[in-house]
Amino acid sequence: MSDDRTTRLDDVDTGEVYERVRQSFLAVVADLTAEQWATMVPATPAWSIHDAVSHVVGIAAGLNALEFPESDDVGGERWARHQVEARRGHTFAELRSEWDREAPTFEAGLRDFGYEFGSHFVADLHAHYHDVRRALRLAPDRDPAAVRVALDHYLLFVHESLIERDWGSIEIVADGVIRAVGVGPTRARVTADEFDLLRSCSARRTRREVAALDWSGDVAAVLAVLDTIYTGGYRFPDDGERHV
């Protein structure tokens, strides 16, 4: 993968980026009404905004307590469901207090375990933050540092998945930077801004929306391989479920 990601490996504090996204997330939900807290989140159709916040708080608390998904829990779906159910009746003040308490330890762990680990959880938090922004009909928060760290995680995920399938490679041009995911013959090329690419790679865009990006090459094959990559709670949204 041929961008300045190697510089971020050494220079970016993923704990600090996580904290910045966390504070932005909290600012968005701090003054919601009870009706808004109950708003369903398009990218996670079984969850309300309250559930999505409970999930991200529960990840920090669970991992700090060394609680992990069981080996047969594909995609950690039962683990995530438990996080939500355990906080079902919690107020915003209670959720915020728990997250404020758990965040410093969690963020230290992101630093200690290295950039790949840290970028994973920045990406997860960033995805749910924007899912909630979409549910509230807010414009995207295009913080470039957070977007790049989150995108690094999802591009690495796609890169490794294409290698596992011996699929070939995709050339990506984002904000003037050229990257390659996968190895071998280039089967497609896409040009997009980093935010749109991030939301596409994280299964927050429909097939139609992904196909509408500036592609050359075998776009149908790209969509087909992404269908095999997405597992657990990830899937292409249905048409009409557009996510910011």
PDB file of all heavy atoms in Angstrom, residues 3-36:
ATOM      1  N   ASP A   3       1.126   4.818   0.130  1.00  0.00           N
ATOM      2  CA  ASP A   3       0.925   6.225   0.442  1.00  0.00           C
ATOM      3  C   ASP A   3       1.816   6.582   1.617  1.00  0.00           C
ATOM      4  O   ASP A   3       2.823   5.912   1.862  1.00  0.00           O
ATOM      5  CB  ASP A   3      -0.548   6.517   0.741  1.00  0.00           C
ATOM      6  CG  ASP A   3      -1.015   5.821   2.005  1.00  0.00           C
ATOM      7  OD1 ASP A   3      -0.413   4.802   2.388  1.00  0.00           O
ATOM      8  OD2 ASP A   3      -1.972   6.290   2.610  1.00  0.00           O
ATOM      9  N   ASP A   4       1.468   7.615   2.386  1.00  0.00           N
ATOM     10  CA  ASP A   4       2.287   8.007   3.521  1.00  0.00           C
ATOM     11  C   ASP A   4       1.871   7.299   4.804  1.00  0.00           C
ATOM     12  O   ASP A   4       2.139   7.755   5.897  1.00  0.00           O
ATOM     13  CB  ASP A   4       2.255   9.525   3.704  1.00  0.00           C
ATOM     14  CG  ASP A   4       0.844  10.047   3.972  1.00  0.00           C
ATOM     15  OD1 ASP A   4      -0.122   9.265   3.847  1.00  0.00           O
ATOM     16  OD2 ASP A   4       0.717  11.240   4.300  1.00  0.00           O
ATOM     17  N   ARG A   5       1.212   6.157   4.646  1.00  0.00           N
ATOM     18  CA  ARG A   5       0.786   5.374   5.806  1.00  0.00           C
ATOM     19  C   ARG A   5       1.965   5.006   6.695  1.00  0.00           C
ATOM     20  O   ARG A   5       1.835   4.956   7.929  1.00  0.00           O
ATOM     21  CB  ARG A   5       0.079   4.115   5.311  1.00  0.00           C
ATOM     22  CG  ARG A   5      -0.395   3.167   6.390  1.00  0.00           C
ATOM     23  CD  ARG A   5      -1.191   2.037   5.748  1.00  0.00           C
ATOM     24  NE  ARG A   5      -1.495   1.024   6.731  1.00  0.00           N
ATOM     25  CZ  ARG A   5      -0.646   0.073   7.102  1.00  0.00           C
ATOM     26  NH1 ARG A   5       0.566   0.018   6.569  1.00  0.00           N
ATOM     27  NH2 ARG A   5      -0.979  -0.824   7.999  1.00  0.00           N
ATOM     28  N   THR A   6       3.134   4.732   6.107  1.00  0.00           N
ATOM     29  CA  THR A   6       4.299   4.365   6.921  1.00  0.00           C
ATOM     30  C   THR A   6       4.689   5.498   7.856  1.00  0.00           C
ATOM     31  O   THR A   6       5.156   5.254   8.968  1.00  0.00           O
ATOM     32  CB  THR A   6       5.495   3.997   6.024  1.00  0.00           C
ATOM     33  OG1 THR A   6       5.716   5.045   5.086  1.00  0.00           O
ATOM     34  CG2 THR A   6       5.218   2.707   5.275  1.00  0.00           C
ATOM     35  N   THR A   7       4.471   6.749   7.430  1.00  0.00           N
ATOM     36  CA  THR A   7       4.730   7.884   8.321  1.00  0.00           C
ATOM     37  C   THR A   7       3.755   7.880   9.483  1.00  0.00           C
ATOM     38  O   THR A   7       4.137   8.112  10.637  1.00  0.00           O
ATOM     39  CB  THR A   7       4.607   9.210   7.547  1.00  0.00           C
ATOM     40  OG1 THR A   7       5.535   9.203   6.472  1.00  0.00           O
ATOM     41  CG2 THR A   7       4.881  10.405   8.453  1.00  0.00           C
ATOM     42  N   ARG A   8       2.493   7.578   9.220  1.00  0.00           N
ATOM     43  CA  ARG A   8       1.505   7.532  10.293  1.00  0.00           C
ATOM     44  C   ARG A   8       1.804   6.401  11.269  1.00  0.00           C
ATOM     45  O   ARG A   8       1.525   6.526  12.467  1.00  0.00           O
ATOM     46  CB  ARG A   8       0.094   7.391   9.707  1.00  0.00           C
ATOM     47  CG  ARG A   8      -0.382   8.662   9.004  1.00  0.00           C
ATOM     48  CD  ARG A   8      -1.869   8.618   8.695  1.00  0.00           C
ATOM     49  NE  ARG A   8      -2.203   7.688   7.632  1.00  0.00           N
ATOM     50  CZ  ARG A   8      -2.080   7.945   6.344  1.00  0.00           C
ATOM     51  NH1 ARG A   8      -1.584   9.089   5.929  1.00  0.00           N
ATOM     52  NH2 ARG A   8      -2.445   7.056   5.442  1.00  0.00           N
ATOM     53  N   LEU A   9       2.354   5.294  10.781  1.00  0.00           N
ATOM     54  CA  LEU A   9       2.716   4.193  11.680  1.00  0.00           C
ATOM     55  C   LEU A   9       3.613   4.672  12.814  1.00  0.00           C
ATOM     56  O   LEU A   9       3.508   4.225  13.957  1.00  0.00           O
ATOM     57  CB  LEU A   9       3.440   3.088  10.908  1.00  0.00           C
ATOM     58  CG  LEU A   9       2.605   2.177  10.015  1.00  0.00           C
ATOM     59  CD1 LEU A   9       3.506   1.327   9.139  1.00  0.00           C
ATOM     60  CD2 LEU A   9       1.704   1.282  10.846  1.00  0.00           C
ATOM     61  N   ASP A  10       4.512   5.597  12.487  1.00  0.00           N
ATOM     62  CA  ASP A  10       5.481   6.080  13.464  1.00  0.00           C
ATOM     63  C   ASP A  10       5.026   7.327  14.203  1.00  0.00           C
ATOM     64  O   ASP A  10       5.404   7.544  15.358  1.00  0.00           O
ATOM     65  CB  ASP A  10       6.822   6.390  12.772  1.00  0.00           C
ATOM     66  CG  ASP A  10       7.483   5.156  12.182  1.00  0.00           C
ATOM     67  OD1 ASP A  10       7.311   4.066  12.761  1.00  0.00           O
ATOM     68  OD2 ASP A  10       8.152   5.282  11.148  1.00  0.00           O
ATOM     69  N   ASP A  11       4.228   8.166  13.539  1.00  0.00           N
ATOM     70  CA  ASP A  11       3.996   9.508  14.054  1.00  0.00           C
ATOM     71  C   ASP A  11       2.615   9.749  14.645  1.00  0.00           C
ATOM     72  O   ASP A  11       2.437  10.708  15.399  1.00  0.00           O
ATOM     73  CB  ASP A  11       4.218  10.535  12.931  1.00  0.00           C
ATOM     74  CG  ASP A  11       5.660  10.581  12.456  1.00  0.00           C
ATOM     75  OD1 ASP A  11       6.523  10.027  13.161  1.00  0.00           O
ATOM     76  OD2 ASP A  11       5.910  11.164  11.386  1.00  0.00           O
ATOM     77  N   VAL A  12       1.618   8.934  14.305  1.00  0.00           N
ATOM     78  CA  VAL A  12       0.247   9.221  14.731  1.00  0.00           C
ATOM     79  C   VAL A  12      -0.061   8.531  16.053  1.00  0.00           C
ATOM     80  O   VAL A  12       0.187   7.334  16.222  1.00  0.00           O
ATOM     81  CB  VAL A  12      -0.761   8.798  13.650  1.00  0.00           C
ATOM     82  CG1 VAL A  12      -2.192   8.886  14.177  1.00  0.00           C
ATOM     83  CG2 VAL A  12      -0.610   9.682  12.415  1.00  0.00           C
ATOM     84  N   ASP A  13      -0.602   9.288  16.981  1.00  0.00           N
ATOM     85  CA  ASP A  13      -1.061   8.782  18.273  1.00  0.00           C
ATOM     86  C   ASP A  13      -2.531   8.397  18.116  1.00  0.00           C
ATOM     87  O   ASP A  13      -3.416   9.255  18.118  1.00  0.00           O
ATOM     88  CB  ASP A  13      -0.886   9.875  19.328  1.00  0.00           C
ATOM     89  CG  ASP A  13      -1.349   9.464  20.714  1.00  0.00           C
ATOM     90  OD1 ASP A  13      -2.080   8.458  20.844  1.00  0.00           O
ATOM     91  OD2 ASP A  13      -0.988  10.163  21.680  1.00  0.00           O
ATOM     92  N   THR A  14      -2.802   7.114  17.952  1.00  0.00           N
ATOM     93  CA  THR A  14      -4.182   6.687  17.711  1.00  0.00           C
ATOM     94  C   THR A  14      -5.060   6.919  18.944  1.00  0.00           C
ATOM     95  O   THR A  14      -6.272   7.113  18.805  1.00  0.00           O
ATOM     96  CB  THR A  14      -4.253   5.209  17.291  1.00  0.00           C
ATOM     97  OG1 THR A  14      -3.576   4.403  18.260  1.00  0.00           O
ATOM     98  CG2 THR A  14      -3.628   5.009  15.915  1.00  0.00           C
ATOM     99  N   GLY A  15      -4.452   6.895  20.127  1.00  0.00           N
ATOM    100  CA  GLY A  15      -5.230   7.222  21.323  1.00  0.00           C
ATOM    101  C   GLY A  15      -5.749   8.645  21.283  1.00  0.00           C
ATOM    102  O   GLY A  15      -6.893   8.914  21.643  1.00  0.00           O
ATOM    103  N   GLU A  16      -4.913   9.565  20.810  1.00  0.00           N
ATOM    104  CA  GLU A  16      -5.332  10.966  20.701  1.00  0.00           C
ATOM    105  C   GLU A  16      -6.408  11.130  19.641  1.00  0.00           C
ATOM    106  O   GLU A  16      -7.376  11.877  19.834  1.00  0.00           O
ATOM    107  CB  GLU A  16      -4.113  11.841  20.375  1.00  0.00           C
ATOM    108  CG  GLU A  16      -4.390  13.342  20.423  1.00  0.00           C
ATOM    109  CD  GLU A  16      -4.987  13.892  19.132  1.00  0.00           C
ATOM    110  OE1 GLU A  16      -4.701  13.316  18.061  1.00  0.00           O
ATOM    111  OE2 GLU A  16      -5.768  14.869  19.204  1.00  0.00           O
ATOM    112  N   VAL A  17      -6.273  10.431  18.504  1.00  0.00           N
ATOM    113  CA  VAL A  17      -7.284  10.525  17.449  1.00  0.00           C
ATOM    114  C   VAL A  17      -8.611   9.946  17.943  1.00  0.00           C
ATOM    115  O   VAL A  17      -9.681  10.527  17.721  1.00  0.00           O
ATOM    116  CB  VAL A  17      -6.813   9.815  16.168  1.00  0.00           C
ATOM    117  CG1 VAL A  17      -7.899   9.882  15.091  1.00  0.00           C
ATOM    118  CG2 VAL A  17      -5.519  10.426  15.651  1.00  0.00           C
ATOM    119  N   TYR A  18      -8.550   8.811  18.627  1.00  0.00           N
ATOM    120  CA  TYR A  18      -9.757   8.214  19.199  1.00  0.00           C
ATOM    121  C   TYR A  18     -10.438   9.209  20.136  1.00  0.00           C
ATOM    122  O   TYR A  18     -11.667   9.397  20.085  1.00  0.00           O
ATOM    123  CB  TYR A  18      -9.395   6.936  19.959  1.00  0.00           C
ATOM    124  CG  TYR A  18     -10.551   6.250  20.644  1.00  0.00           C
ATOM    125  CD1 TYR A  18     -11.241   5.212  20.037  1.00  0.00           C
ATOM    126  CD2 TYR A  18     -10.955   6.640  21.931  1.00  0.00           C
ATOM    127  CE1 TYR A  18     -12.304   4.577  20.674  1.00  0.00           C
ATOM    128  CE2 TYR A  18     -12.019   6.018  22.566  1.00  0.00           C
ATOM    129  CZ  TYR A  18     -12.686   4.991  21.937  1.00  0.00           C
ATOM    130  OH  TYR A  18     -13.746   4.381  22.578  1.00  0.00           O
ATOM    131  N   GLU A  19      -9.657   9.870  20.984  1.00  0.00           N
ATOM    132  CA  GLU A  19     -10.230  10.812  21.945  1.00  0.00           C
ATOM    133  C   GLU A  19     -10.893  11.993  21.230  1.00  0.00           C
ATOM    134  O   GLU A  19     -11.947  12.463  21.659  1.00  0.00           O
ATOM    135  CB  GLU A  19      -9.164  11.306  22.921  1.00  0.00           C
ATOM    136  CG  GLU A  19      -9.633  12.346  23.927  1.00  0.00           C
ATOM    137  CD  GLU A  19     -10.722  11.849  24.880  1.00  0.00           C
ATOM    138  OE1 GLU A  19     -10.935  10.610  24.983  1.00  0.00           O
ATOM    139  OE2 GLU A  19     -11.366  12.706  25.515  1.00  0.00           O
ATOM    140  N   ARG A  20     -10.288  12.451  20.151  1.00  0.00           N
ATOM    141  CA  ARG A  20     -10.887  13.560  19.421  1.00  0.00           C
ATOM    142  C   ARG A  20     -12.234  13.144  18.810  1.00  0.00           C
ATOM    143  O   ARG A  20     -13.210  13.899  18.873  1.00  0.00           O
ATOM    144  CB  ARG A  20      -9.928  14.042  18.331  1.00  0.00           C
ATOM    145  CG  ARG A  20     -10.371  15.349  17.711  1.00  0.00           C
ATOM    146  CD  ARG A  20      -9.260  16.088  17.020  1.00  0.00           C
ATOM    147  NE  ARG A  20      -8.803  15.448  15.800  1.00  0.00           N
ATOM    148  CZ  ARG A  20      -7.590  14.915  15.647  1.00  0.00           C
ATOM    149  NH1 ARG A  20      -6.709  14.934  16.632  1.00  0.00           N
ATOM    150  NH2 ARG A  20      -7.246  14.370  14.496  1.00  0.00           N
ATOM    151  N   VAL A  21     -12.291  11.946  18.230  1.00  0.00           N
ATOM    152  CA  VAL A  21     -13.563  11.464  17.679  1.00  0.00           C
ATOM    153  C   VAL A  21     -14.575  11.245  18.802  1.00  0.00           C
ATOM    154  O   VAL A  21     -15.762  11.577  18.667  1.00  0.00           O
ATOM    155  CB  VAL A  21     -13.354  10.175  16.867  1.00  0.00           C
ATOM    156  CG1 VAL A  21     -14.689   9.647  16.340  1.00  0.00           C
ATOM    157  CG2 VAL A  21     -12.383  10.404  15.713  1.00  0.00           C
ATOM    158  N   ARG A  22     -14.118  10.732  19.929  1.00  0.00           N
ATOM    159  CA  ARG A  22     -15.004  10.497  21.077  1.00  0.00           C
ATOM    160  C   ARG A  22     -15.643  11.793  21.547  1.00  0.00           C
ATOM    161  O   ARG A  22     -16.861  11.852  21.791  1.00  0.00           O
ATOM    162  CB  ARG A  22     -14.207   9.846  22.212  1.00  0.00           C
ATOM    163  CG  ARG A  22     -15.053   9.351  23.375  1.00  0.00           C
ATOM    164  CD  ARG A  22     -14.188   8.696  24.435  1.00  0.00           C
ATOM    165  NE  ARG A  22     -13.567   9.674  25.318  1.00  0.00           N
ATOM    166  CZ  ARG A  22     -14.126  10.134  26.452  1.00  0.00           C
ATOM    167  NH1 ARG A  22     -15.332   9.693  26.817  1.00  0.00           N
ATOM    168  NH2 ARG A  22     -13.496  10.991  27.206  1.00  0.00           N
ATOM    169  N   GLN A  23     -14.842  12.838  21.669  1.00  0.00           N
ATOM    170  CA  GLN A  23     -15.392  14.115  22.123  1.00  0.00           C
ATOM    171  C   GLN A  23     -16.375  14.686  21.106  1.00  0.00           C
ATOM    172  O   GLN A  23     -17.408  15.268  21.487  1.00  0.00           O
ATOM    173  CB  GLN A  23     -14.254  15.105  22.390  1.00  0.00           C
ATOM    174  CG  GLN A  23     -13.397  14.766  23.604  1.00  0.00           C
ATOM    175  CD  GLN A  23     -14.175  14.770  24.913  1.00  0.00           C
ATOM    176  OE1 GLN A  23     -15.189  15.453  25.050  1.00  0.00           O
ATOM    177  NE2 GLN A  23     -13.705  13.997  25.885  1.00  0.00           N
ATOM    178  N   SER A  24     -16.081  14.515  19.826  1.00  0.00           N
ATOM    179  CA  SER A  24     -17.014  14.985  18.792  1.00  0.00           C
ATOM    180  C   SER A  24     -18.326  14.206  18.864  1.00  0.00           C
ATOM    181  O   SER A  24     -19.420  14.774  18.713  1.00  0.00           O
ATOM    182  CB  SER A  24     -16.384  14.826  17.404  1.00  0.00           C
ATOM    183  OG  SER A  24     -15.233  15.636  17.275  1.00  0.00           O
ATOM    184  N   PHE A  25     -18.226  12.915  19.086  1.00  0.00           N
ATOM    185  CA  PHE A  25     -19.397  12.048  19.208  1.00  0.00           C
ATOM    186  C   PHE A  25     -20.239  12.499  20.404  1.00  0.00           C
ATOM    187  O   PHE A  25     -21.463  12.687  20.305  1.00  0.00           O
ATOM    188  CB  PHE A  25     -18.919  10.611  19.390  1.00  0.00           C
ATOM    189  CG  PHE A  25     -19.915   9.536  19.045  1.00  0.00           C
ATOM    190  CD1 PHE A  25     -19.472   8.250  18.753  1.00  0.00           C
ATOM    191  CD2 PHE A  25     -21.283   9.762  19.025  1.00  0.00           C
ATOM    192  CE1 PHE A  25     -20.357   7.226  18.435  1.00  0.00           C
ATOM    193  CE2 PHE A  25     -22.190   8.750  18.719  1.00  0.00           C
ATOM    194  CZ  PHE A  25     -21.714   7.482  18.430  1.00  0.00           C
ATOM    195  N   LEU A  26     -19.595  12.696  21.544  1.00  0.00           N
ATOM    196  CA  LEU A  26     -20.320  13.119  22.742  1.00  0.00           C
ATOM    197  C   LEU A  26     -21.016  14.463  22.524  1.00  0.00           C
ATOM    198  O   LEU A  26     -22.151  14.663  22.977  1.00  0.00           O
ATOM    199  CB  LEU A  26     -19.356  13.214  23.925  1.00  0.00           C
ATOM    200  CG  LEU A  26     -18.896  11.883  24.517  1.00  0.00           C
ATOM    201  CD1 LEU A  26     -17.751  12.108  25.502  1.00  0.00           C
ATOM    202  CD2 LEU A  26     -20.055  11.167  25.213  1.00  0.00           C
ATOM    203  N   ALA A  27     -20.352  15.373  21.828  1.00  0.00           N
ATOM    204  CA  ALA A  27     -20.949  16.686  21.588  1.00  0.00           C
ATOM    205  C   ALA A  27     -22.221  16.569  20.755  1.00  0.00           C
ATOM    206  O   ALA A  27     -23.184  17.333  20.961  1.00  0.00           O
ATOM    207  CB  ALA A  27     -19.942  17.600  20.897  1.00  0.00           C
ATOM    208  N   VAL A  28     -22.249  15.618  19.833  1.00  0.00           N
ATOM    209  CA  VAL A  28     -23.427  15.440  18.973  1.00  0.00           C
ATOM    210  C   VAL A  28     -24.622  14.897  19.758  1.00  0.00           C
ATOM    211  O   VAL A  28     -25.767  15.280  19.512  1.00  0.00           O
ATOM    212  CB  VAL A  28     -23.075  14.509  17.789  1.00  0.00           C
ATOM    213  CG1 VAL A  28     -24.325  13.979  17.102  1.00  0.00           C
ATOM    214  CG2 VAL A  28     -22.204  15.250  16.785  1.00  0.00           C
ATOM    215  N   VAL A  29     -24.372  14.011  20.714  1.00  0.00           N
ATOM    216  CA  VAL A  29     -25.485  13.342  21.401  1.00  0.00           C
ATOM    217  C   VAL A  29     -25.817  13.954  22.761  1.00  0.00           C
ATOM    218  O   VAL A  29     -26.800  13.557  23.392  1.00  0.00           O
ATOM    219  CB  VAL A  29     -25.209  11.826  21.568  1.00  0.00           C
ATOM    220  CG1 VAL A  29     -25.038  11.167  20.215  1.00  0.00           C
ATOM    221  CG2 VAL A  29     -23.987  11.567  22.457  1.00  0.00           C
ATOM    222  N   ALA A  30     -25.051  14.939  23.203  1.00  0.00           N
ATOM    223  CA  ALA A  30     -25.194  15.442  24.571  1.00  0.00           C
ATOM    224  C   ALA A  30     -26.580  16.006  24.873  1.00  0.00           C
ATOM    225  O   ALA A  30     -27.084  15.841  25.983  1.00  0.00           O
ATOM    226  CB  ALA A  30     -24.132  16.507  24.848  1.00  0.00           C
ATOM    227  N   ASP A  31     -27.193  16.672  23.907  1.00  0.00           N
ATOM    228  CA  ASP A  31     -28.451  17.372  24.186  1.00  0.00           C
ATOM    229  C   ASP A  31     -29.645  16.774  23.438  1.00  0.00           C
ATOM    230  O   ASP A  31     -30.641  17.463  23.187  1.00  0.00           O
ATOM    231  CB  ASP A  31     -28.298  18.851  23.805  1.00  0.00           C
ATOM    232  CG  ASP A  31     -27.244  19.549  24.657  1.00  0.00           C
ATOM    233  OD1 ASP A  31     -27.208  19.306  25.874  1.00  0.00           O
ATOM    234  OD2 ASP A  31     -26.428  20.312  24.087  1.00  0.00           O
ATOM    235  N   LEU A  32     -29.574  15.501  23.112  1.00  0.00           N
ATOM    236  CA  LEU A  32     -30.680  14.876  22.395  1.00  0.00           C
ATOM    237  C   LEU A  32     -31.898  14.707  23.299  1.00  0.00           C
ATOM    238  O   LEU A  32     -31.783  14.471  24.505  1.00  0.00           O
ATOM    239  CB  LEU A  32     -30.262  13.503  21.858  1.00  0.00           C
ATOM    240  CG  LEU A  32     -29.123  13.466  20.847  1.00  0.00           C
ATOM    241  CD1 LEU A  32     -28.923  12.044  20.346  1.00  0.00           C
ATOM    242  CD2 LEU A  32     -29.361  14.421  19.683  1.00  0.00           C
ATOM    243  N   THR A  33     -33.061  14.792  22.689  1.00  0.00           N
ATOM    244  CA  THR A  33     -34.297  14.491  23.408  1.00  0.00           C
ATOM    245  C   THR A  33     -34.459  12.972  23.523  1.00  0.00           C
ATOM    246  O   THR A  33     -33.779  12.194  22.834  1.00  0.00           O
ATOM    247  CB  THR A  33     -35.504  15.064  22.652  1.00  0.00           C
ATOM    248  OG1 THR A  33     -35.609  14.376  21.385  1.00  0.00           O
ATOM    249  CG2 THR A  33     -35.350  16.561  22.413  1.00  0.00           C
ATOM    250  N   ALA A  34     -35.397  12.557  24.350  1.00  0.00           N
ATOM    251  CA  ALA A  34     -35.678  11.125  24.480  1.00  0.00           C
ATOM    252  C   ALA A  34     -36.107  10.539  23.136  1.00  0.00           C
ATOM    253  O   ALA A  34     -35.728   9.404  22.783  1.00  0.00           O
ATOM    254  CB  ALA A  34     -36.762  10.903  25.529  1.00  0.00           C
ATOM    255  N   GLU A  35     -36.874  11.299  22.376  1.00  0.00           N
ATOM    256  CA  GLU A  35     -37.305  10.830  21.056  1.00  0.00           C
ATOM    257  C   GLU A  35     -36.099  10.647  20.129  1.00  0.00           C
ATOM    258  O   GLU A  35     -36.021   9.659  19.383  1.00  0.00           O
ATOM    259  CB  GLU A  35     -38.282  11.826  20.447  1.00  0.00           C
ATOM    260  CG  GLU A  35     -38.832  11.401  19.093  1.00  0.00           C
ATOM    261  CD  GLU A  35     -39.808  12.410  18.527  1.00  0.00           C
ATOM    262  OE1 GLU A  35     -39.975  13.496  19.123  1.00  0.00           O
ATOM    263  OE2 GLU A  35     -40.426  12.095  17.483  1.00  0.00           O
ATOM    264  N   GLN A  36     -35.156  11.578  20.162  1.00  0.00           N
ATOM    265  CA  GLN A  36     -33.969  11.459  19.309  1.00  0.00           C
ATOM    266  C   GLN A  36     -33.096  10.278  19.736  1.00  0.00           C
ATOM    267  O   GLN A  36     -32.548   9.571  18.884  1.00  0.00           O
ATOM    268  CB  GLN A  36     -33.163  12.753  19.353  1.00  0.00           C
ATOM    269  CG  GLN A  36     -33.814  13.904  18.605  1.00  0.00           C
ATOM    270  CD  GLN A  36     -33.082  15.207  18.808  1.00  0.00           C
ATOM    271  OE1 GLN A  36     -32.715  15.569  19.934  1.00  0.00           O
ATOM    272  NE2 GLN A  36     -32.854  15.922  17.710  1.00  0.00           N
TER     273      GLN A  36
END
